[in-house]
Amino acid sequence: MTKKEQKIQEGLENVIACKTEISRIAVEDGKGILEYRGYPIEELAEKSTFEEVAYLLLFGELPKKYELEAFSEELKEKRELPPQIIGLLTHLSPFSHPMVVLRTAVSYLGTMDKYIHYRNHDVSIEKAKSLIAKFPTIVAYFHRIRCGQKLVHPREDLGHAANFLYMLRGEEPNEIEVKAMDVDLILHADHELNASTFAARIAASTLADIYACIVAATGTLMGPLHGGASQRVIEMLREIAVPWRAEEYIKRKLNKGERIMGFGHRVYRTVIDPRTLILKRLAEKLAREKEPKWYQISIAVEDAVYKHKKLYPNVDFYSASVYANLDIPDDLFITVFAISRITGWTAHVIEQYENNRLIRPRAHYVGEIRKKYIPIDER
Ligand code: ACO
């Protein structure tokens, strides 16, 4: 095929840009599929923990008991932040979006790493563990600092999910909350070549340091068409306020040609995202224990969007009700996504380093050509 005949694939839709062994997403027999390293997401959400899934994504195999214990211990040891990062969080404007703060902190962590440019496997794994361990602390500390509250330091007797909620809220979460947080973290940990992971891999393909790759990923996740959708979902649920107003609200938005946040997906177009099904059950469970209205309004919105646009909810939709019932502030929703996705991002960066080819596609130029240069005082 000549260059002229090549079809432009806007948004790189359906373009296979690399090989990966980390996760597989597909639509098979009318069902959405997500597997991490070959294991179905449904089974991992039911039987695993976030730490075990992080190990699986980074190392490629489920850990043996002693391997998981050692890995979990290492994460715990790496949770605390250097004083310089705490200083940074104190100096940043309390009105900054927490996601902007998170990406700034990642970049700052890079300045403190003497071996920032080392990219061999073992060193990269150590950097990945440190980032996975520190993400929840950065988010929780910044939140408490901006609220004028005392820092709640990490507790070594708590797992990753429980410790995050504890540092954020200042009190130990109950068992149902911990399980919900843990499952949510498992579900968001990786999703093949989504936009933020692709951004990380593009940076990695230039052999940029891992912090640079993660800054690229955090910046990309923030957009409302990607991870930024969940904050917009809760804002929408608040605006609707009661389930019976949902259909009118959705019809009005659709008639104006607006997008409904938390709906639609590039890959799961004709089927429901398998993570959504699990999150919906989780949201329902929390609604029975805590505030039921978020779940009730969500159900009404889901029905209305299907009725009027035939779209399914994506992973960001029911995670909004889950986070609201875990008492997570709206503008931290996306940071929770990042606390989980840092595992996938780092696993992909390492995979890219180890089988690298510079990612450098082409663009079809559609502007004017061969124009005559006019000197500035003649224009
Ligand atoms: N609300 C209303 N209409 C929608 C939505 C939506 N959320 N999503 C897609 N559509 C419509 C489009 O208007 C288009 O309709 P048309 O054929 O009548 O013109 C059709 O569905 C196809 O849409 P595309 O834009 O081609 O779909 P694309 O694959 O580019 O978009 C995306 C995927 C960006 C996720 C889109 O569905 C969207 O904007 N959703 C809302 C934002 C969101 O929830 N993002 C989170 C995604 S999950 C994640 O990143 C973690």
Side-chain angles (χ1 to χ4, degrees):
M1 201 189 286
T2 67
K3 261 202 186 124
K4 265 200 173 153
E5 288 165 332
Q6 273 180 16
K7 192 170 172 283
I8 300 170
Q9 211 56 45
E10 298 282 1
L12 300 184
E13 187 164 352
N14 292 325
V15 170
I16 311 283
C18 66
K19 290 183 195 160
T20 185
E21 293 182 353
I22 301 168
S23 63
R24 181 174 87 93
I25 66 179
V27 176
E28 287 172 0
D29 306 323
K31 198 171 159 256
I33 306 282
L34 169 60
E35 290 169 356
Y36 295 163
R37 303 277 189 189
Y39 295 97
I41 194 66
E42 292 79 6
E43 224 176 333
L44 293 170
E46 190 193 329
K47 300 177 183 163
S48 202
T49 60
F50 172 74
E51 286 89 328
E52 190 174 38
V53 164
Y55 185 102
L56 173 67
L57 290 172
L58 282 182
F59 296 99
E61 295 292 347
L62 282 170
K64 295 191 172 43
K65 206 164 174 245
Y66 74 89
E67 288 170 325
L68 179 59
E69 278 169 13
F71 181 69
S72 305
E73 276 314 302
E74 270 190 273
L75 290 185
K76 285 176 182 170
E77 281 162 19
K78 292 178 193 295
R79 282 176 184 163
E80 193 50 275
L81 302 180
Q84 295 94 320
I85 298 287
I86 300 177
L88 171 79
L89 301 180
T90 315
H91 283 102
L92 290 172
S93 160
F95 304 108
S96 315
H97 193 285
M99 198 60 193
V100 177
V101 171
L102 183 62
R103 75 167 187 245
T104 307
V106 172
S107 199
Y108 197 5
L109 279 170
T111 68
M112 276 177 273
D113 185 344
K114 276 197 292 193
Y115 305 106
I116 183 168
H117 298 299
Y118 285 35
R119 286 185 317 273
N120 70 49
H121 183 83
D122 291 351
V123 175
S124 297
I125 290 280
E126 286 310 305
K127 292 180 199 297
K129 284 185 210 161
S130 174
L131 288 167
I132 294 168
K134 289 181 176 57
F135 262 41
T137 323
I138 296 168
V139 172
Y141 279 11
F142 175 68
H143 177 63
R144 293 190 73 84
I145 289 167
R146 74 175 174 170
C147 295
Q149 294 168 325
K150 266 181 70 177
L151 296 188
V152 175
H153 294 282
R155 254 183 45 195
E156 293 224 345
D157 59 327
L158 296 178
H160 205 73
N163 179 62
F164 170 59
L165 289 175
Y166 166 70
M167 290 191 297
L168 187 69
R169 309 190 319 198
E171 54 189 51
E172 219 178 299
N174 67 33
E175 224 174 279
I176 292 169
E177 291 174 320
V178 174
K179 182 66 186 162
M181 186 78 262
D182 198 49
V183 170
D184 180 85
L185 293 178
I186 291 172
L187 296 177
H188 285 85
D190 194 49
H191 206 234
E192 198 223 52
L193 213 54
N194 58 88
S196 55
T197 302
F198 190 41
R201 287 192 79 127
I202 291 171
S205 83
T206 71
L207 302 184
D209 65 84
I210 198 165
Y211 303 92
C213 302
I214 301 307
V215 168
T218 45
T220 308
L221 182 69
M222 200 174 168
L225 296 189
H226 191 9
S230 58
Q231 182 178 338
R232 270 80 175 181
V233 171
I234 194 69
E235 287 163 1
M236 170 175 75
L237 301 183
R238 285 189 204 289
E239 229 179 300
I240 296 173
V242 281
W244 57 264
R245 281 216 203 115
E247 186 168 2
E248 201 44 51
Y249 177 97
I250 295 300
K251 263 176 33 192
R252 201 172 59 241
K253 287 251 171 203
L254 289 175
N255 286 341
K256 283 198 278 178
E258 287 180 31
R259 290 194 171 218
I260 313 297
M261 291 294 127
F263 285 84
H265 195 276
R266 182 58 73 76
V267 181
Y268 306 123
R269 273 250 163 98
T270 51
V271 296
I272 195 158
D273 182 331
R275 301 166 298 176
T276 305
L277 295 169
I278 304 169
L279 279 163
K280 187 174 174 179
R281 288 197 292 272
L282 213 57
E284 187 188 8
K285 201 169 171 196
L286 280 171
R288 270 189 262 120
E289 298 294 322
K290 299 184 87 178
E291 173 58 64
K293 76 173 172 193
W294 306 123
Y295 179 72
Q296 291 165 350
I297 305 169
S298 300
I299 291 285
V301 170
E302 183 183 350
D303 289 348
V305 176
Y306 191 76
K307 185 170 163 192
H308 296 284
K309 191 77 189 176
K310 295 279 174 291
L311 284 173
Y312 293 107
N314 58 48
V315 68
D316 278 332
F317 186 64
Y318 281 101
S319 49
S321 319
V322 169
Y323 299 156
N325 263 339
L326 289 175
D327 307 318
I328 294 172
D330 299 1
D331 64 354
L332 292 191
F333 284 16
I334 180 177
T335 62
V336 179
F337 195 147
I339 284 172
S340 166
R341 186 57 60 85
I342 181 63
T343 41
W345 289 334
T346 48
H348 277 271
V349 168
I350 295 169
E351 189 178 63
Q352 183 70 38
Y353 283 158
E354 287 171 6
N355 195 8
N356 192 46
R357 181 157 167 79
L358 177 72
I359 299 172
R360 203 299 187 193
R362 294 294 312 276
H364 175 56
Y365 178 72
V366 292
E368 294 177 82
I369 61 166
R370 299 196 186 101
K371 291 179 81 180
K372 191 171 165 2
Y373 180 86
I374 304 165
I376 193 157
D377 42 358
E378 289 174 30
R379 281 173 220 160

